[in-house]
Amino acid sequence: MPSPYRAIFAAPGTKGFSAAGFLGRMPLSMMGIGVVTMVSQLTGRYGLAGALSATLAMSAAVIGPQISRLVDRHGQRRVLRPATLVALAAVAGLLICAQQRLPDWSLFLFAAGAGCVPSVGSMIRARWAEIYRGSPQQLHTAYSWESIVDEVCFIFGPIISIGLSTAWFPEAGPLLAAGFLLVGVCWLTAQRATEPVPHPRAQHTGGTALRARGLQVLVVTFVATGAIFGAVDVVTVAFAEEQGHKAAASLVLAVYALGSCLAGAVFGLLRLTGKASVRWLVGVCAMAVSMIPLQLAGDLPFLAVALFVAGLAIAPTMVTTMALVEQHVPRTKLTEGMTWTSTGLAVGVALGSSAAGWVVDASGAEAGYAVPAVAGALAAAVAFLGYRRLSGPVPTEGRGEDDRHRTDDDERVA
């Protein structure tokens, strides 16, 4: 492991919570695509499959920030365990209803309940922020590392989920995802030494973290970005099936994540200069442009290459986003703020997967790749319109003294 990454793991407990976070985040890449594969296997209806995946994502988008807000106030252990149990019960109900061919409304009911799944990635990043607060370079490396972990999940998660659901039984992928969530959350919450200290209600002035103007720009942009991801997942599965190799969809999506993983690994080694807001704007625009070659995809090898190139823009943009959240959101609301970006992605995934499913049903898989292209254009447009909020001075209203000092330190490093 290159020395900057070795250095961040010198702090006690970091290896343990990062490993637990890896397991806890596997469902992020497995559950949605697992539901799509399961329902398409059982019913052949991609519209229904995309709508269920969208329902799950939308539910997580609504409930996730509220769970993280409770975490900021009461701590990770007290909140994550009961929330996870509710999510697991809902997933079990979804799988039973799908297997028994019960009415569609029952599938949507349990898919909505599964939204109680906590944002494990935000919990891990909050621990890193607690350890390396005031050390921007180490925190940049730590966020880059977690982005690599995210992409490793997206490399192996779809392969495992789609592979099990197509080769074993349709419910196998989501079932294993639920198992990963249970083990990851239990392991993480058992590690009390690195858990951020909760902040009592009296310190949570000013309402929700979403009142920060910079965070609003990030969340809205990520709605469009999430639509890219959701649409690419659904359309790629359908495209691979049209090509006669449905199981190969997991490999193609893994290549997409591999490009992001490699870019994130290199990005974490860099000592950056200039404004984070500029890097973020360039990253969003690069993701938008990378959707254009997908319109020319005629076979799986070409699609894999195009998605690999598209993936190169993802991790650096995500890492920069977390840095901007840390700058624009008060310390007492950091977990909630990070979760709001995940919420934006989840809403986008819901919209993108649903729209892509209907387009595929109506016009075929190749036409479906127009959906991520439109989503990319919208992301770039919102990023341009909101750039001034991110590039201007960070408001100090509602921020603690340590937050103001940290912002000054970050600006000096930039």
Side-chain angles (χ1 to χ4, degrees):
M1 186 181 295
S3 57
Y5 290 112
R6 286 202 306 270
I8 63 171
F9 284 105
T14 51
K15 294 178 182 178
F17 73 68
S18 187
F22 170 71
L23 292 180
R25 273 176 287 184
M26 284 296 284
L28 184 65
S29 65
M30 294 178 64
M31 189 64 73
I33 196 67
V35 169
V36 169
T37 307
M38 174 184 71
V39 174
S40 64
Q41 286 279 100
L42 294 173
T43 68
R45 297 163 60 190
Y46 276 97
L48 175 62
L52 284 171
S53 179
T55 300
L56 196 156
M58 286 292 286
S59 176
V62 173
I63 300 174
Q66 311 313 316
I67 293 175
S68 293
R69 194 173 188 182
L70 291 174
V71 166
D72 282 330
R73 293 182 178 181
H74 304 290
Q76 294 184 2
R77 182 185 179 91
R78 291 182 61 187
V79 176
L80 296 190
R81 290 190 172 185
T84 299
L85 291 178
V86 173
L88 292 175
V91 170
L94 174 62
L95 299 187
I96 292 172
C97 290
Q99 197 273 334
Q100 295 295 320
R101 309 295 200 276
L102 296 183
D104 290 352
W105 65 263
S106 64
L107 300 177
F108 285 101
L109 176 65
F110 284 110
C116 284
V117 59
S119 177
V120 177
S122 298
M123 308 302 159
I124 301 301
R125 288 177 172 87
R127 293 192 181 214
W128 283 117
E130 189 77 7
I131 293 172
Y132 289 117
R133 189 174 303 278
S135 302
Q137 186 59 43
Q138 287 88 342
L139 194 55
H140 164 73
T141 304
Y143 286 159
S144 297
W145 171 258
E146 292 306 320
S147 181
I148 294 170
V149 174
D150 283 339
E151 298 311 328
V152 170
C153 289
F154 277 96
I155 290 172
F156 293 104
I159 295 175
I160 296 171
S161 188
I162 296 175
L164 288 178
S165 291
T166 54
W168 197 5
F169 57 91
E171 301 85 2
L175 183 62
L176 183 60
F180 277 131
L181 177 65
L182 177 62
V183 174
V185 169
C186 288
W187 187 11
L188 176 64
T189 53
Q191 301 177 50
R192 303 298 299 277
T194 55
E195 180 179 346
V197 177
H199 302 277
R201 180 184 296 270
Q203 298 182 19
H204 288 259
T205 58
T208 175
L210 196 57
R211 294 183 64 178
R213 288 164 58 86
L215 181 61
Q216 294 169 6
V217 174
L218 297 173
V219 171
V220 175
T221 305
F222 267 36
V223 171
T225 303
I228 296 174
F229 301 153
V232 166
D233 281 352
V234 172
V235 179
T236 299
V237 172
F239 185 82
E241 184 176 32
E242 285 187 359
Q243 296 289 313
H245 303 284
K246 185 175 183 178
S250 59
L251 298 176
V252 175
L253 292 174
V255 169
Y256 188 30
L258 178 62
S260 178
C261 182
L262 294 177
V266 173
F267 192 68
L269 300 176
L270 303 178
R271 298 191 66 86
L272 303 174
T273 59
K275 288 186 175 182
S277 55
V278 174
R279 295 194 295 273
W280 177 80
L281 179 61
V282 171
V284 172
C285 292
M287 282 196 288
V289 172
S290 69
M291 292 297 103
I292 296 175
L294 301 185
Q295 314 309 309
L296 306 176
D299 52 45
L300 288 175
F302 180 92
L303 177 62
V305 173
L307 285 177
F308 176 82
V309 174
L312 295 175
I314 296 175
T317 307
M318 297 299 181
V319 172
T320 307
T321 298
M322 291 301 111
L324 289 171
V325 171
E326 220 246 339
Q327 289 178 17
H328 286 263
V329 174
R331 179 181 179 181
T332 57
K333 303 174 183 178
L334 183 58
T335 307
E336 182 193 351
M338 290 181 172
T339 304
W340 274 113
T341 61
S342 300
T343 293
L345 283 174
V347 171
V349 167
L351 297 174
S353 60
S354 182
W358 294 116
V359 171
V360 167
D361 281 346
S363 305
E366 290 190 28
Y369 281 116
V371 176
V374 172
L378 290 174
V382 174
F384 271 110
L385 292 174
Y387 170 72
R388 292 181 63 183
R389 290 191 182 186
L390 295 173
S391 61
V394 178
T396 58
E397 182 180 356
R399 302 176 70 88
E401 190 66 28
D402 58 340
D403 292 302
R404 289 193 286 271
H405 289 321
R406 173 167 51 83
T407 299
D408 293 340
D409 290 340
D410 292 342
E411 290 175 351
R412 283 195 292 272
V413 170

